[in-house]
Amino acid sequence: MELRYLTAFVAVAEELHFGRAAKRLQMAQPPLSQQIRQLERELGVQLFERNTRSVRLTSAGESLLEPARAVLEDVDTAVRAAKAAGRGEYGRVTVGFAGASSHESLPLLTRAVRAAHPGLELVMRGQTYANVALAKVADGSLDLGFVRLPVHQPGVSTRVIEVEELICAVPTDHPLAQQDRVAIEQLADEPFVSFPANAGSTLRDALVKACVSGGFNPRVVQEAPDSYTILALVAAGVGVTLTLTSCQHIQQTGLVYRPLAGKPTRLHAALAWRTDNTSAALRTVLEIAEEALPTPTAL
């Protein structure tokens, strides 16, 4: 059954006049009459009682009218939804992020997307380390990832959204807590708490690199999967750690943050996506992110 037959039927049923229905559909009357006859043949029932003066619905026609209206409304809804999805107003975007360091940026993005396009769904994949997020973006498992530069993955585009600095976190009763700044060399004999090795954490990589530049390899005595747990262990006196300025919102009793002496070690947080990802929803999210999470002027 063709949709145009149902459209013709509803128009005649509502107008109860073939001439007015044809004018409403912007077509000639003979083709309209042919479509109604074709619909009646397909259904095997008479839908209208016609004479030279009037047109009336039969009982079969009355039974068909509401279902036909519902079908046409559903089709119209589907067409509008498809067009809106093509414009990026509807759809789903999967986002990978690490909890603590995305504490500020992620809510800014999600609120902006929700306000601009409520039909867009952001599917969150938490506890996704930066290197893992990058790999998942590259293989298509994620549409968008919160990562850190440098990114050398072919086919992946990035945009910087935040510049972070490496800082030191120590227990409040630690002698280094009394200093305004901590030299990396002063941590040479300290036990460290950090992310698991080879888990894809760029912060773990940055910690090791900073310590090696200070002339020693860090002695990691405890590993934990997220910054909240790591900093709780530092507050408990298990060890010290290097973390990021974006994690300073985590306030624990028994924990203090201190900047590192010397030239700051900066890490660039960025959004990453596959360059060839044709999703209109993703493009819309990226456009919203340009305003919600602008690139810092000083990199």
Side-chain angles (χ1 to χ4, degrees), residues 113-137:
V113 169
R114 193 180 305 117
H117 296 294
L120 269 177
E121 180 185 3
L122 296 183
V123 181
M124 303 303 176
R125 301 283 186 256
Q127 296 302 335
T128 308
Y129 298 134
N131 287 338
V132 175
L134 178 59
K136 288 183 176 294
V137 166

Side-chain angles (χ1 to χ4, degrees), residues 233-254:
L233 291 169
V234 172
V238 174
V240 302
T241 195
L242 299 183
T243 188
L244 296 167
T245 47
S246 59
C247 293
Q248 289 183 101
H249 67 277
I250 302 174
Q251 296 296 322
Q252 295 267 359
T253 301

Side-chain angles (χ1 to χ4, degrees), residues 31-49:
L32 175 61
S33 298
Q34 292 174 8
Q35 290 180 13
I36 295 299
R37 285 195 294 271
Q38 180 62 34
L39 179 61
E40 289 176 326
R41 281 195 294 270
E42 288 190 16
L43 295 176
V45 296
Q46 184 178 346
L47 299 173
F48 296 100
E49 293 179 355

Side-chain angles (χ1 to χ4, degrees), residues 145-167:
F146 283 76
V147 304
R148 291 193 180 90
L149 301 186
V151 168
H152 303 299
Q153 192 80 35
V156 174
S157 298
T158 61
R159 182 176 66 80
V160 176
I161 58 172
E162 186 178 4
V163 179
E164 306 164 290
E165 288 190 11
L166 205 60
I167 57 176

